Amino acid sequence: MKLAMKQAAWVRWCASGAAVLAVVVVAVQCNATTKWAGADARSAEARVAWQTVYKVLQHPRCVNCHPAGDAPLQGDDSHVHAQNVQRGADGNGLFAMKCAACHQKSNLAGAHLPPGAPNWRLPRADEPLVFEGRTSSELCRQLRDPKHNGKRTPAQLLEHMANDPLVGWGWHPGVGRERVSIPRDELVRAMKAWIDGGCDCPD
Amino acid sequence: MALDLEVNGKRVSVDADAATPLLWVLRDDLKLTGTKFGCGAAQCGACTVHVDGEAVRSCVLPIAAAVGRKVTTIEGLSSAVGKALSQAWIEEDVPQCGWCQTGQIMSAAVLVAEKATPSDADIDACMSGNVCRCATYVRIRRAIHSAAAIAKGGGR
Amino acid sequence: MSGRTLERRDLLRASAAVGGGLLVAFWFPASAEANSLALPKDFVPNAFVRIAPDGAVTVIINKAEMGQGVCTSLSMLVAEELDADWRRVGFEFAPVDPVYAHPGFGIQMTGGSTSIGGMFEPLRKAGAAARAMLVQAAAKRWNVDASECRTEKSTVTHTASGHSATYGELADAAAELEAPKDAPLKDPKDFRLIGRSTKRLDTVAKIAGTATFGLDVSVPGMLTAVVAHPPVFGGKAKRVDSAAALRVAGVVKVVEVPSGVAVVARGFWAAKLGRDALEIEWDDGANAGLSSEKLRADYAALSRTKGLTARHDGDPDGAFAAAKQVLEADYELPYLAHCPMEPLNCVVDLRTDSCEIWAGTQFQTVDHAAACAVAGLKPEQVKLHTTFLGGGFGRRANPASDYIVEAVAIAKQTGAPIKLVWTRTDDLRGGYYRPMWHSRIRAALAANGALAGWAHTIVGQSFIVGTPFEPFIIHDGIDGTSVEGSADTPYAIPAVHVDLHTTQVGVPTLWWRSVGHSHTAFVVETFLDEVAHALGEDALALRRRLLAKEPRHLAVLERAAGAAQWGTPLPAGRARGLAVHGSFNSFVATVLEVSLEHGRPRVHKAWTAIDCGRIVNPDGIVAQLEGAVGFGLTAALYSEITLRDGCVEQSNFHDYPMLRINEMPDVEVILVGSHEPSSGVGEPGVPPVAPALCNALFALTKKRIRRLPIRREDLTA
């Protein structure tokens, strides 16, 4: 039953996925159309891979912009952003406190200065994509559910993690911020493995 | 390097390194000292100006990022909202030392322009980036409510 | 040092003035050279006012305008007696001249919340003298008796003859007359301006961005200097490699001055990049090992020993021996930075035989003397222009004139006008903090429920020792500013002992808005709450009892408590706390209503009542009290300068946060009218805030906060 729902979701994803990494397209198509021998092994692999993905997504560099509340978080201790910054409907902040009021397209030289990357923002208010406080299982299910992942196909999710410069900032966070400890290519490999394995999630 | 800017509706050319924060080009090169220096780290809001109508902290905006965009400082805030804010700020006698006040007004201008009747929560969301060491906050809040009313009554 | 001599001379005059009455040092000069910007056709009756032929009235402000509203309230004093048309009244800041000295302290300065109290009569006299001359000029012109003339709105009228002339029209004739020695002052019941809320004269310039602060000054050919200060107080540069700094585009020069290494450049940004590129090896000196944790332990140990006695009433030892219950507690307060929004700065144009200086300063006489000494020029060769101050809070009244001296020292080696700019980090790490304090306090509760004894041991640094103020403020080894607010506690306690340990620590300290009261009020008012709790008595009731003979304390207490509906039930999760404190001859009671939000204190509303004697500008007082609530909350909730390995740890608003608008409570200010002389307003609102907050938090959580700033764990542990 669970599997059937999942496959339906895959199909929808496939239909909507336009410009995607070739390898993902292949994986998604394969997975969506057939259930071949060895699928169980793949899904076991997926679950292992997911643990890597989860570790990255729980890093302060990721959590801080995927908060549970409507305020971004700051710092390696993920404290609520000073200055009462609010998400706003589109995730770009509010009024004189839009993200771009302070955050540039790249980091500024020096400590305690606003970090920067292109399109610095939070998820939209109607799709908050919360990472903060999510268990491995919760976050996994959230990520594969288009209703709760920003209507993204697996390909688009992979694209976000592999190529979005805002995500990439997590590995180049500037002075005084811990970078994401797992290398980005490892995250991408784990993402692919998770998707290839059917986006299986831990209980 | 020579960079062409549009500040308060005027085209100006300044010779500055591309990474120089807009604040110092305004204050040191263009002598527009109404924009204030408070922290140099986007933590206090004293340096707030508008770039293409949005509030930015000019102490962290590299001048290169302002090229081709419209910069408005307190000296050039001539909109109906700006006038309403001035009137309200005078009626409420908001400033004490005054150092942060131009930045406060530049931030408030975005709020009143975007929201005709701002709530207290809107004011908190907009203005918490602007520090006032004299703590004139009670009056800033009153003045914003009052400016919004003025702007609605006699504004554009 | 000649600067030191000048200070001493001035201060000696101050002491004579204090001895012989506040106003002895005040005089009107026969010629008014000090009214320096007067034009030839202006009527210049004295150093404090001039009237132009077009009727414009200019009041010369001998105080620093740092937000407290003096340029308006002092102008009101002159305009009141002058019967000036308020719409034509403007102001300018006074040059440095003995005529502008503080009538009590003998030097030109702003501090101690004394501007209105000190200038209330002198400025009224200045206005009255000018008015008398204008009336006399009119009477002469119309050939009528001066006593038959009336004045109103800058116009002299003689009703019987139908004559009338404006002050502008009479200016040239009045200028020919001799100033009267003692023009009569108005009966206060005839005041038209004093006592009425009057809009600030500086608002328009401040919101338009045209008000000139020190940092806004620009002179032709000016360069900007940013200084690398030693990371440890008292450190010295051992080796400076300026090669990389000099390669930064725009950097002109690197110069070593006693306070550090300055990079001089075209504009701030180049100077700052240049400073970042300096490679300096520092000799940290004697203070390399300073640490806040070590100081805390040292202070706590000292507080267990006897200090110098600041007050001894009755038989405290007997009271404690006979007590049914003894309460004792330790209170701790940290070093605090003033952190004015406008970072410190100074512009200096030094020539071979002259020097012009522009600075936001509270200490003109001292700064002028210090600048003369560093520049090697005579007093008449050095001009100091006072600008608006983007906040002062005491930091811009420094006996060492640190940022003035530094700027002149850099200018001496530069050969061009310079603007010294401190960054926020320089400001937070540059020293001259409110001292760190430790209090050991005990109360003896008698069997009958009386507060029978009180003993308070105070440990901390003196910022008066070694300054010219020492002879006036330190008596028998007791720095009055260390114990004020405790040694003079008004509570009726039969036995009181207050003693002081003055420590010597290599951290520069200074007065900070409300000075000693900033720590003593917290300790006394919070501990009194502990006493009330131990006695099972309401905090207001206990204070009423102990202040029965203090009508001014009582009046503000009753008004604040009444406005806050003290004693009435509150919704669950809310609580009130109160405190009352007298400082700078004024009396303030504050009630705060609080809750906890996400484990942090949230202040919803403040009621604060003040008796500051005769009220000059009511709305100005309201503004100061509103601001004092925010300033006091910032200190109680956030502020702390800490040292590790001799270095200050804080560097900007992320680790030295300020209260923001979303945290600011609603404030209701109650002005308690009185006919006592006008007294302080800028500072007295601050001391009751922290104790009122902590008393409210105790009511809410039963956790007693004895160390500031308030820590999250102190509320949950």
Side-chain angles (χ1 to χ4, degrees), chain B residues 129-142:
Chain B
N130 290 80
V131 169
C132 176
R133 180 62 161 146
C134 305
T136 61
Y137 300 127
V138 172
R139 289 171 188 238
I140 289 172
R141 185 180 300 282
R142 274 208 308 262

Side-chain angles (χ1 to χ4, degrees), chain A residues 82-86 94-98 100-105 108 111-114, chain B residues 40-43 54-57 60-62 107 110-111 114 122 124-126 128-129:
Chain A
Q83 312 187 23
N84 190 38
V85 175
Q86 301 294 311
L94 279 175
F95 313 121
M97 296 284 281
K98 300 190 178 89
C102 305
H103 297 278
Q104 312 302 322
K105 290 187 169 58
L108 299 166
H112 305 298
L113 288 166
Chain B
Q43 295 180 355
E54 294 286 4
V56 303
R57 309 301 186 216
V60 292
L61 184 78
S107 286
V110 174
L111 174 60
E114 290 187 11
D122 292 331
D124 286 346
C126 179
S128 295

Side-chain angles (χ1 to χ4, degrees), chain B residues 78-99:
Chain B
S78 55
S79 63
V81 163
K83 292 195 177 94
L85 286 164
S86 296
Q87 190 187 329
W89 242 251
I90 291 166
E91 279 169 11
E92 298 293 344
D93 239 1
V94 176
Q96 290 186 26
C97 92
W99 187 253

Side-chain angles (χ1 to χ4, degrees), chain B residues 138, chain C residues 560 563-564 577 589-594 603-609 625-626 628-630 633 664-670 689 692:
Chain B
V138 172
Chain C
T590 301
V591 178
L592 298 181
E593 183 178 321
V594 307
V603 183
H604 299 274
K605 174 119 195 210
W607 296 263
T608 185
L625 272 284
E626 288 167 353
V629 168
L633 287 178
M664 180 74 187
D666 190 16
V667 183
E668 182 178 328
V669 177
I670 301 124
V689 175

Side-chain angles (χ1 to χ4, degrees), chain C residues 397-458:
Chain C
N398 188 345
S401 299
D402 60 337
Y403 59 101
I404 310 290
V405 164
E406 183 169 82
V408 178
I410 295 165
K412 255 180 115 169
Q413 296 188 55
T414 302
I418 64 115
K419 176 192 282 183
L420 167 69
V421 182
W422 282 30
T423 64
R424 177 59 54 201
T425 305
D426 298 333
D427 172 67
L428 288 174
R429 295 186 171 170
Y432 298 102
Y433 308 119
R434 197 287 302 274
M436 175 178 159
W437 295 102
H438 187 108
S439 277
R440 171 81 175 158
I441 190 159
R442 297 184 300 138
L445 310 185
N448 64 358
L451 173 53
W454 181 271
H456 186 183
T457 300
I458 297 171

Side-chain angles (χ1 to χ4, degrees), chain C residues 90-416:
Chain C
F91 68 94
E92 71 194 25
F93 297 119
V96 183
D97 191 290
V99 71
Y100 296 118
H102 188 294
F105 299 135
I107 57 170
Q108 195 171 332
M109 61 159 283
T110 309
S113 289
T114 54
S115 295
I116 291 291
M119 297 309 293
F120 190 74
E121 277 208 23
L123 287 179
R124 287 173 61 208
K125 283 182 176 168
R131 176 191 167 274
M133 292 164 80
L134 290 158
V135 167
Q136 206 190 331
K140 211 167 144 192
R141 183 175 292 178
W142 303 327
N143 207 10
V144 299
D145 195 316
S147 67
E148 294 169 1
C149 295
R150 290 186 302 111
T151 50
E152 195 178 353
K153 290 195 173 159
S154 291
T155 304
V156 185
T157 310
H158 185 257
T159 312
S161 66
H163 284 302
S164 152
T166 64
Y167 288 178
E169 290 162 356
L170 293 165
D172 56 345
E176 302 300 316
L177 302 173
E178 190 120 331
K181 285 238 165 1
D182 46 4
L185 295 179
K186 282 185 185 174
D187 185 317
K189 73 176 166 42
D190 298 326
F191 285 160
R192 289 184 250 214
L193 262 176
I194 294 175
R196 290 196 185 182
S197 283
T198 303
K199 294 256 176 274
R200 293 179 67 115
L201 292 174
D202 54 354
T203 296
V204 172
K206 283 177 174 175
I207 66 175
T210 55
T212 302
F213 295 83
L215 204 57
D216 301 333
V217 172
S218 185
V219 298
M222 183 181 80
L223 299 171
T224 302
V226 174
V227 180
H229 295 125
V232 174
F233 295 116
K236 293 278 168 227
K238 221 164 32 181
R239 195 189 54 82
V240 179
D241 181 351
S242 53
L246 288 166
R247 281 198 298 272
V248 172
V251 170
V252 173
K253 210 168 184 180
V254 173
V255 301
E256 289 188 48
V257 290
S259 55
V261 183
V263 176
V264 181
R266 283 185 287 277
F268 170 85
W269 191 245
K272 196 243 171 214
L273 290 180
R275 180 183 69 172
D276 293 348
L278 283 174
E279 285 176 36
I280 305 172
E281 195 183 321
W282 298 99
D283 174 0
D284 288 339
N287 296 320
L290 278 180
S291 103
S292 294
E293 287 312 307
K294 173 81 166 51
L295 283 175
R296 286 182 64 205
D298 292 349
Y299 278 27
L302 256 183
S303 74
R304 265 63 184 167
T305 65
K306 264 210 172 324
L308 291 175
T309 301
R311 174 170 171 183
H312 192 88
D313 284 358
D315 177 16
D317 288 346
F320 279 97
K324 181 186 167 219
Q325 187 186 356
V326 172
L327 300 181
E328 46 191 340
D330 288 86
Y331 282 82
E332 293 179 83
L333 292 102
Y335 288 112
L336 297 178
H338 305 73
C339 200
M341 285 308 291
E342 178 199 14
L344 298 177
N345 62 83
C346 178
V347 171
V348 178
D349 187 354
L350 179 64
R351 310 289 168 95
T352 44
D353 54 0
S354 73
C355 182
E356 265 193 281
I357 298 170
W358 290 262
T361 168
Q362 302 174 238
F363 239 27
Q364 287 83 354
T365 304
V366 173
D367 289 346
H368 183 262
C372 291
V374 177
L377 292 171
K378 298 191 195 96
E380 60 271 23
Q381 293 174 306
V382 177
K383 260 193 196 167
L384 170 61
H385 305 277
T386 302
T387 62
F388 280 109
L389 284 67
F393 314 116
R395 181 62 179 87
R396 288 179 155 104
N398 188 345
S401 299
D402 60 337
Y403 59 101
I404 310 290
V405 164
E406 183 169 82
V408 178
I410 295 165
K412 255 180 115 169
Q413 296 188 55
T414 302

Side-chain angles (χ1 to χ4, degrees), chain B residues 42-107:
Chain B
Q43 295 180 355
C44 80
C47 66
T48 305
V49 301
H50 295 174
V51 174
D52 289 341
E54 294 286 4
V56 303
R57 309 301 186 216
S58 64
C59 72
V60 292
L61 184 78
I63 186 67
V67 171
R69 302 163 76 188
K70 289 184 190 340
V71 177
T72 306
T73 70
I74 190 73
E75 291 89 348
L77 184 71
S78 55
S79 63
V81 163
K83 292 195 177 94
L85 286 164
S86 296
Q87 190 187 329
W89 242 251
I90 291 166
E91 279 169 11
E92 298 293 344
D93 239 1
V94 176
Q96 290 186 26
C97 92
W99 187 253
C100 72
Q101 296 293 336
T102 52
Q104 303 274 2
I105 290 173
M106 293 308 281
S107 286

